[in-house]
Amino acid sequence: MLRILNRVLLGAVGLTLLVVGGSVLVAGLGGPVPSWWFHDAQGDVLLAESARDRCREDTWWWPAVFGALGVLFGLMVWSVIAQIRRNRLTEVLVDSGDGQGALLRARALAGVLAGAAEELDGVDQADVLLVGRRNAPEARVHLVLSAGAEPKETLRGLTDEALAQARDSAGLERLPAQVELGVVRRRAQRVS
């Protein structure tokens, strides 16, 4: 859902900037623009001299404008870096024995690993994320334990059964994992 919202928001901002920038360019080159448009003449400026003079009287105005633009620029740079840097692995290279190899979807392997982890005693929910390189994946596992679970036994079962099975089935030499354990939160019950 967040990914769709991100794409829609980026598309809307990009389209708005394209329309405004294109119309200012058309007006600057002497092309036709609607009569209600804010920038309608070739020699017209975006901010009139009277508006600039009025804003000079308020000493806070220009620092606030440049501060807001700086924050906006920082958010845009952060968004671009977040788009470029993907930490989620999309595929895992499996040794097929013929020297070519095969590609396995990382979500499929993570789903099987999560299912195997949920079958362990005391595990209510398991979430698995594969990160790293496709020939050397790493698992980030988040387990939600039930109230009577023993964390040591659950961790041993995860290591000896679920992770070992995933490592062997994908033909990996090793599958390091970072495991985070949590507990089911229950509401307090009233005692009368």
Side-chain angles (χ1 to χ4, degrees):
M1 180 68 185
L2 186 61
R3 189 176 189 181
I4 294 171
L5 179 66
N6 186 19
R7 300 288 186 226
V8 168
L9 184 64
L10 283 175
V13 168
L15 186 63
T16 303
L17 290 175
L18 184 68
V19 167
V20 171
S23 66
V24 168
L25 181 66
V26 167
L29 294 175
V33 291
S35 61
W36 51 267
W37 192 249
F38 64 93
H39 186 76
D40 58 359
Q42 189 171 0
D44 198 8
V45 293
L46 292 178
L47 194 58
E49 190 172 345
S50 61
R52 289 193 310 261
D53 288 342
R54 186 179 61 231
C55 294
R56 271 193 204 122
E57 294 171 3
D58 298 325
T59 57
W60 59 269
W61 174 251
W62 291 113
V65 167
F66 288 122
L69 289 175
V71 168
L72 183 64
F73 178 75
L75 287 173
M76 288 190 307
V77 168
W78 172 77
S79 175
V80 167
I81 290 172
Q83 293 291 324
I84 292 172
R85 194 191 84 182
R86 275 194 340 210
N87 59 354
R88 177 178 289 214
L89 193 62
T90 57
E91 51 193 26
V92 176
L93 184 62
V94 178
D95 184 19
S96 59
D98 60 357
Q100 295 292 324
L103 293 177
L104 171 67
R105 288 187 182 253
R107 283 189 179 180
L109 183 60
V112 169
L113 187 55
E118 286 178 350
E119 291 177 2
L120 296 172
D121 290 335
V123 176
D124 279 351
Q125 182 182 356
D127 293 320
V128 178
L129 176 68
L130 293 176
V131 296
R133 297 186 320 262
R134 66 183 195 167
N135 58 352
E138 299 173 12
R140 292 187 183 159
V141 182
H142 178 75
L143 299 177
V144 178
L145 304 178
S146 59
E150 295 182 26
K152 184 177 179 180
E153 293 302 319
T154 303
L155 190 56
R156 182 176 294 130
L158 177 72
T159 305
D160 295 343
E161 296 172 22
L163 285 170
Q165 181 183 5
R167 182 188 64 235
D168 294 341
S169 65
L172 299 170
E173 293 180 19
R174 47 182 246 133
L175 181 60
Q178 177 183 353
V179 181
E180 182 181 328
L181 301 175
V183 294
V184 175
R185 296 183 187 247
R186 306 212 187 272
R187 294 183 63 194
Q189 296 180 356
R190 289 188 175 191
V191 178
S192 55

